[in-house]
Amino acid sequence: MDGKELKVKSAEETVERLLQNEGIILNEKDKVLPTLNSLVKPNMEVKITRVEEKTIISSKIIPYKVVKSLTTIC
């Protein structure tokens, strides 16, 4: 979690309860495998992928050419 590996022993039944008991707070978009409602099994590995959304706004001058043309209306 957050670049760390934790080894824990727990009597909790589900992954969600295990994480709560360990004080691990999940953000809305974080991914957990196995799912939060999965039953905890001996030697089970739980992976948390932290998901962070960012909006990046950037400005850039784009060179362009202006082409003028003369048209005649008949």
Side-chain angles (χ1 to χ4, degrees), residues 34-68:
T35 60
L36 293 174
N37 60 352
S38 297
L39 296 177
V40 174
K41 299 175 185 170
N43 300 313
M44 176 183 236
E45 185 174 296
V46 177
K47 291 188 177 189
I48 300 171
T49 303
R50 297 288 188 186
V51 177
E52 184 178 313
E53 288 184 356
K54 292 182 182 180
T55 301
I56 300 172
I57 299 173
S58 125
S59 299
K60 183 177 181 181
I61 296 174
I62 302 173
Y64 63 94
K65 292 180 181 181
V66 176
V67 178
K68 294 182 181 181

Side-chain angles (χ1 to χ4, degrees), residues 21-46:
N21 190 51
E22 292 300 316
I24 297 171
I25 299 170
L26 297 173
N27 298 317
E28 182 181 340
K29 304 232 181 231
D30 290 347
K31 306 290 182 202
V32 180
L33 285 175
T35 60
L36 293 174
N37 60 352
S38 297
L39 296 177
V40 174
K41 299 175 185 170
N43 300 313
M44 176 183 236
E45 185 174 296
V46 177

